[in-house]
Amino acid sequence: MKKAKIIFWITTIIIFLFEGVMPALTSQTELAKEGIRHLGYPEYFGNALVVFKILGVLALIIPQVPARIKEWAYAGFGFDFIFASISHFAVDGVTFDGFFPIIILGILALSYIYYHKIERYKNIAL
């Protein structure tokens, strides 16, 4: 059980840093705005995305958040990573920029799997 919690928290903190902290700190930089424009999205889309990313990571990181909300956050991040890859592949071709969201999706999947292992153990212990 200890191994499951360690893996869950490491993967979840990586998601928290990449999808919550970094966007919150860098979303208003010219580089971030140019990245959104480069992919063909309007600037307000980037702002909305940052708000939902911050809400999503808070849902994942706060233990008291109901399981159904966490499921929606995991699903939202999954869609975000898949569509980020598609956007990069469509605009830039096959580059690392297109594969990076897939790598983060793998980390998200580990967080999700171990979240359910921990929850299953809690339900058995009750």
Side-chain angles (χ1 to χ4, degrees), residues 16 19-21 23-24 49-59 77:
F16 176 76
E19 295 302 308
V21 175
L49 198 57
V50 169
V51 169
F52 287 114
K53 284 181 176 192
I54 292 169
L55 292 173
V57 295
L58 290 175
F77 282 123

Side-chain angles (χ1 to χ4, degrees), residues 32-50:
K33 290 177 183 180
E34 177 54 35
I36 291 291
R37 277 192 299 271
H38 170 72
L39 293 174
Y41 297 111
E43 190 173 323
Y44 67 82
F45 179 76
N47 294 332
L49 198 57
V50 169

